[in-house]
Amino acid sequence: MRVPLSWLREYVDLPATETGRDVQAKLVSAGLEVETVERLGAGLTGPLVVGRVLTVEELTEFKKPIRFCTVDVGQANGTGEPQEIICGARNFAEGDKVVVALPGAVLPGDFRIAERKTYGRVSRGMICSSDELGMGDDGTHGIIVLPPEHEVGTDATALLELYDEVLDIAVTPDRGYCLSMRGVAREAAIAYGLPLRDPALLDVPAPNSYGYPVQVTDPVGCSHFTARTVVGLDPEARSPIWLQRRLQKAGMRPVSLAVDVTNYVMLELGQPLHAYDRSRLDGPIGVRRAEPGEKITTLDGTVRVLDPADLVITDHRGPVGIAGVMGGADTEIADAETDPETGQVRGTTEVVIEAAHFDAISIARTARRHKLSSEASKRFERGVDPQAAAAAAQRTVDLLVLLAGGTAEAGVTQVIAPGAPRTVAMRADHPDRVAGVAYGRETVVRRLQEIGCDVYGQDELVVTVPSWRPDLSEPNDLAEEVIRLEGYENLPSTLPKPPAGRGLTERQRTHRRVGRALAGAGYVEALNYPFVGEQVFDQLDLPADDPCRRVVKLVNPLSDEEPALRTTLLPGLLGALRRNDGRGSHDLALFETGLVFRAPAEPGVAVRLPVDRRPTDAELAGVDGVLPEQPRHAAVVLAGAREQAGWWGGGRPADWADAVEAARTVAREAGTELVVRQGQYGPWHPGRCAELVVVVDGAERTAGHAGELHPRVVKAFGLPARTCAMELDLDLVERASAGLVRAPRISLFPVATQDVALVVDEDVPAADVERALHEGAGELLESLRLFDTFTGEQIGEGRKSLAYALRFRAEDRTLTVEEATAARDAAVALAAERTGAVLRGA
């Protein structure tokens, strides 16, 4: 909400010395979010005067239309002679009153006006447009043409109200009343302790039976509807400058007198209004829900298919407006047009004014359903004062009569659904207990009365909430009002004292260790939105019955293209990799740890938990039982070079082994040993995919996969060739952990190294051989490393050689050669038994 300070002063007698910054500080202290204070006219200096165009000479020898004008500026130029000015605009003619910047003037942007020769003539000034003066959009996109009554030579800065300050307030959803000058003025009056001149306090005639007929068939959706009629409007009447300037300062564009007046009253009182051309209405105005398949062409020219939940305004033909959102084109106020044959000016001369109160939830849903946010819907969504409808209609009628020469018909239509004022019971000391400050009953009552409440009672207060505050519904709301008006800055600051011995859980520590380990290995963390579209599972080449395809869908997704919660981290990471690669970063290693969401096999409905007591364990268990499973995963993606080339030697591209090593790094931090074997799953290349297995409660469980992505997946996602990835169920890996990770013991005794080369069939996984060697070598084995593989004629077709380095060490002695050899032989024997391995050369 943009609030011009000059307009605010009409309702509150602020001290003359108060600047916009001062008012901002006061309103911020009262709880309003005043984001900026804009100084209009900053950098603008005169002379800037009203001039009358005497002559216009068209200069046709140039590529674009240029006009040489003489303009009467009175005595403002010191001579009284006409001012010669070059201008390229076409929207003015001889005799028009315009705004002239004379030599010496400085316009916004440090644009200095001086005599200069251009287009073969001398230009002594400039005829100004609204943009050049920093006024905003006036709808003409051309020169400002003033009404003829303004005297030549008059100071245009005062006439156009170019100097002002505008407060830009970010109105939160619970402060809908501040989307009006009336609401902000009330807050300013309370902040300064000054009286408020309420613009809604008008003499409104009583409703009668001969107003324009209105039929409301949905009193829940429309609780108040006021209709007034004004006839005899001058179709040529224009909005006066003061009205246009207030709209512009508030961020709205002047359109026509009738529309400008309804917008002005909306900004003033917070009540959205709509003006119908009565000659275009067919029968009574109705308010109802839309029928299936009904359509309407709104004021923006769009044909919209209505939903049965939409509240609409109708006549005998059908919908003529979407209630509280936007009017229809069929009853739009017509622009003034001159008949070329008769010279008669045609336009709207009779209007019906609508001032209604619509249900906030209904309007919010309609606006989102049609993706049609308007100034009216913003206010109805946040709550509009239902008692202000009649005053807003009267204010609109008064302005139309004053500015357009119309006549208000005596008929007044009011349709009001039965209702009673809202009351809230509250202990007088409740704000004291909430804030921890002793305010006292007198202060509580005074503050509540300042915001418009009626308060009765002594220790137990009964508070009648004002109609413009729908957000006040319980004692805590009233306590908040007292506390904010007394000043949040006056609340005592008490730091909490956390109990000793509580810190991160073991699960949290593990997750942090995993992140640090991956970052230390050269990966960069990428945090992605947890939303996906179901088409991504086709891109990942997952089978139709894959559990990852069973998703949890959101009722109100941020994007219709991604309505589901992710079941894997890969889509987000691969999207991040694609974006970075497309922007020139080709050597990438990204990781993410986060939750994935698995829908239950049989979806259930959660019970509604009570709010007046603590839920029972059974009730909480019932809620937990229908929640999706949410395991935490860790994933990495790699592309490009893993090791850079340089003077030290050639580089190395990232490959499947790096993805597997990332999985091992994660498992080590969780205190788990991974079993790595050849696998085949979804997005991974079938010949370059590792299945990652852990042992939980004595049974092997697949925790994830790692390797190079399938070429089809790479193509579907637009990824670099040979992109690799790994994803691991971190919760499952933690369950397989043996407990706390123990620090390695450092032995003082030397190591004994034994190398062994084993020949096995080509289809025997190296992991199986390695597992047998580990188990057979016993306690003396410190480490085991595969350092060479070989295939060739020397060892036979269909066979391969695996060379391992075994390190043996004892904690209490130096091993003898015999002990190391015996351990090695035991390892080889078990490997031969389990995998058919034989010593190479034996």
Side-chain angles (χ1 to χ4, degrees):
M1 177 70 186
R2 290 172 56 85
V3 178
L5 190 58
S6 60
W7 195 355
L8 185 64
R9 290 181 183 276
E10 285 198 4
Y11 313 117
V12 184
D13 289 326
L14 299 174
T17 56
E18 289 292 279
T19 66
R21 294 289 184 187
D22 298 329
V23 177
Q24 177 189 29
K26 285 283 189 179
L27 294 180
V28 168
S29 178
L32 292 184
E33 297 181 16
V34 185
E35 294 187 331
T36 60
V37 178
E38 181 182 353
R39 293 182 63 243
L40 301 183
L44 173 67
T45 59
L48 198 70
V49 299
V50 175
R52 183 170 63 88
V53 179
L54 300 176
T55 64
V56 176
E57 178 186 351
E58 302 287 347
L59 305 182
T60 59
E61 62 270 27
F62 303 101
K63 292 182 179 180
K64 62 179 181 179
I66 296 297
R67 312 170 93 186
F68 180 69
C69 311
T70 58
V71 185
D72 178 14
V73 295
Q75 297 299 317
N77 58 2
T79 64
E81 296 295 324
Q83 203 78 4
E84 297 176 338
I85 299 175
I86 293 288
C87 185
R90 316 291 297 174
N91 68 314
F92 66 95
E94 293 180 359
D96 283 344
K97 298 286 181 67
V98 294
V99 178
V100 179
L102 296 175
V106 180
L107 303 188
D110 198 28
F111 185 71
R112 300 179 180 274
I113 306 300
E115 290 189 9
R116 61 191 182 97
K117 187 173 182 180
T118 180
Y119 297 103
R121 306 293 179 95
V122 176
S123 180
R124 296 179 172 86
M126 186 172 79
I127 302 175
C128 300
S129 68
S130 60
D131 286 338
E132 290 164 340
L133 297 180
M135 295 170 55
D137 184 11
D138 64 355
T140 64
H141 302 292
I143 293 302
I144 301 171
V145 178
L146 300 171
E149 64 267 18
H150 296 291
E151 185 178 349
V152 168
T154 303
D155 180 12
T157 58
L159 175 66
L160 299 176
E161 301 177 15
L162 297 180
Y163 297 114
D164 203 350
E165 292 182 277
V166 178
L167 285 70
D168 193 351
I169 302 177
V171 179
T172 52
D174 61 330
R175 297 287 178 86
Y177 66 97
C178 285
L179 286 172
S180 67
M181 295 299 303
R182 180 193 184 202
V184 176
R186 179 176 287 107
E187 292 295 317
I190 296 172
Y192 280 93
L194 297 172
L196 168 70
R197 288 188 289 274
D198 191 344
L201 296 180
L202 301 174
D203 291 330
V204 179
N208 49 56
S209 59
Y210 42 92
Y212 197 91
V214 175
Q215 299 171 351
V216 178
T217 59
D218 190 338
V220 175
C222 177
S223 60
H224 290 68
F225 196 106
T226 299
R228 300 290 299 276
T229 305
V230 181
V231 299
L233 298 176
D234 179 5
E236 292 187 280
R238 297 174 54 189
S239 301
I241 291 176
W242 65 266
L243 178 58
Q244 294 186 43
R245 288 296 293 133
R246 286 193 171 178
L247 291 177
Q248 288 175 322
K249 292 176 185 179
M252 302 188 75
R253 179 174 63 85
V255 179
S256 64
L257 178 59
V259 175
D260 292 349
V261 167
T262 57
N263 286 336
Y264 178 83
V265 176
M266 177 185 69
L267 291 172
E268 185 178 50
L269 300 182
Q271 169 66 54
L273 301 111
H274 191 72
Y276 300 93
D277 188 330
R278 189 166 76 166
S279 65
R280 297 185 176 186
L281 285 172
D282 183 8
I285 292 175
V287 183
R288 60 170 172 81
R289 298 290 172 175
E291 296 176 358
E294 277 191 311
K295 297 181 180 180
I296 184 175
T297 302
T298 47
L299 289 174
D300 58 359
T302 303
V303 178
R304 303 182 187 276
V305 179
L306 298 172
D307 187 273
D310 293 336
L311 197 66
V312 293
I313 311 297
T314 66
D315 62 7
H316 282 328
R317 297 166 298 179
V320 296
I322 303 177
V325 180
M326 185 173 286
D330 292 341
T331 57
E332 182 181 7
I333 301 297
D335 294 331
E337 294 181 355
T338 303
D339 190 316
E341 296 182 359
T342 64
Q344 182 180 1
V345 178
R346 298 175 181 174
T348 299
T349 59
E350 300 179 351
V351 299
V352 177
I353 305 300
E354 165 208 305
H357 183 267
F358 301 113
D359 177 62
I361 295 176
S362 175
I363 300 306
R365 288 175 175 171
T366 295
R368 283 157 179 75
R369 187 180 298 118
H370 294 283
K371 295 181 173 61
L372 185 62
S373 179
S374 64
E375 292 293 331
S377 68
K378 290 177 184 176
R379 285 164 173 79
F380 281 121
E381 288 176 22
R382 290 161 174 80
V384 169
D385 182 3
Q387 303 299 328
Q394 181 63 48
R395 177 70 165 141
T396 305
V397 168
D398 292 344
L399 287 172
L400 287 176
V401 170
L402 174 67
L403 303 176
T407 301
E409 289 193 345
V412 177
T413 302
Q414 279 193 19
V415 179
I416 302 176
R422 291 177 295 111
T423 60
V424 179
M426 181 184 74
R427 287 173 54 96
D429 63 348
H430 183 67
D432 300 12
R433 291 186 292 128
V434 171
V437 176
Y439 293 123
R441 179 187 179 279
E442 291 74 14
T443 298
V444 170
V445 171
R446 174 172 58 84
R447 289 302 190 183
L448 293 178
Q449 289 174 339
E450 285 178 342
I451 64 173
C453 296
D454 293 327
V455 186
Y456 305 95
Q458 293 298 319
D459 294 337
E460 293 289 338
L461 302 180
V462 177
V463 181
T464 302
V465 176
S467 57
W468 59 83
R469 292 301 301 271
D471 58 305
L472 304 181
S473 58
E474 59 179 44
N476 284 339
D477 297 330
L478 300 177
E480 180 185 2
E481 292 299 297
V482 174
I483 295 168
R484 76 175 180 88
L485 294 179
E486 283 295 306
Y488 290 121
E489 67 277 9
N490 296 323
L491 293 176
S493 177
T494 305
L495 296 177
K497 296 180 180 179
R502 294 186 181 180
L504 298 176
T505 65
E506 185 58 35
R507 186 169 185 260
Q508 291 171 327
R509 291 192 185 98
T510 300
H511 295 163
R512 294 195 179 190
R513 286 201 307 271
V514 166
R516 286 194 296 267
L518 289 174
Y523 291 86
V524 176
E525 186 171 17
L527 300 178
N528 299 291
Y529 285 117
F531 311 116
V532 296
E534 291 184 87
Q535 74 282 353
V536 78
F537 302 121
D538 295 327
Q539 294 176 296
L540 289 174
D541 212 15
L542 296 181
D545 60 347
D546 193 284
C548 284
R549 288 184 177 269
R550 194 167 63 241
V551 297
V552 178
K553 288 189 176 180
L554 301 174
V555 176
N556 55 340
L558 293 180
S559 169
D560 293 337
E561 296 179 356
E562 296 180 331
L565 292 172
R566 67 189 178 191
T567 56
T568 167
L569 300 181
L570 290 183
L573 276 176
L574 294 178
L577 186 141
R578 180 182 63 247
R579 284 192 300 274
N580 283 275
D581 181 72
R583 293 170 183 172
S585 297
H586 304 302
D587 302 325
L588 295 163
L590 308 178
F591 85 93
E592 181 176 11
T593 60
L595 300 180
V596 299
F597 305 85
R598 302 285 174 80
E602 296 182 3
V605 178
V607 297
R608 188 182 295 273
L609 296 178
V611 296
D612 58 342
R613 59 176 174 81
R614 184 189 183 280
T616 65
D617 292 341
E619 289 171 332
L620 293 174
V623 173
D624 291 338
V626 298
L627 290 177
E629 185 184 356
Q630 302 175 50
R632 183 174 290 271
H633 280 204
V636 304
V637 292
L638 305 99
R642 185 66 176 135
E643 297 176 4
Q644 296 291 335
W647 58 264
W648 52 85
R652 181 179 66 82
D655 61 15
W656 63 268
D658 294 301
V660 173
E661 183 57 31
R664 287 197 170 105
T665 299
V666 172
R668 279 195 297 270
E669 293 300 324
T672 305
E673 189 69 29
L674 280 181
V675 177
V676 180
R677 60 167 66 116
Q678 185 175 1
Q680 183 173 344
Y681 177 68
W684 281 277
H685 192 297
R688 298 167 188 158
C689 174
E691 182 183 14
L692 309 174
V693 177
V694 294
V695 178
V696 180
D697 298 330
E700 289 189 346
R701 298 278 299 276
T702 299
H705 294 82
E708 184 180 315
L709 294 180
H710 197 289
R712 283 198 302 268
V713 175
V714 169
K715 182 178 180 181
F717 279 92
L719 304 172
R722 301 284 187 175
T723 296
C724 299
M726 178 278 292
E727 184 164 13
L728 201 58
D729 186 333
L730 196 52
D731 285 351
L732 187 58
V733 171
E734 285 185 76
R735 288 174 55 194
S737 171
L740 294 175
V741 179
R742 294 184 177 276
R745 293 185 177 181
I746 308 300
S747 175
L748 300 177
F749 297 95
V751 66
T753 302
Q754 296 271 357
D755 292 345
V756 61
L758 300 177
V759 178
V760 295
D761 292 337
E762 261 188 339
D763 58 354
V764 175
D768 291 350
V769 178
E770 185 173 326
R771 193 179 309 111
L773 291 173
H774 259 293
E775 188 174 338
E779 298 180 341
L780 295 179
L781 182 65
E782 182 180 79
S783 67
L784 174 67
R785 180 173 62 89
L786 176 66
F787 66 86
D788 185 45
T789 63
F790 176 74
T791 58
E793 296 179 359
Q794 297 92 325
I795 58 175
E797 186 177 353
R799 306 277 282 173
K800 63 182 177 183
S801 172
L802 305 174
Y804 292 92
L806 290 77
R807 290 169 57 91
F808 298 98
R809 195 192 312 256
E811 295 181 0
D812 57 349
R813 66 188 187 280
T814 300
L815 292 178
T816 64
V817 174
E818 290 76 13
E819 287 177 309
T821 302
R824 183 202 65 180
D825 292 343
V828 171
L830 189 59
E833 179 184 339
R834 291 187 177 178
T835 66
V838 297
L839 280 171
R840 184 175 175 183

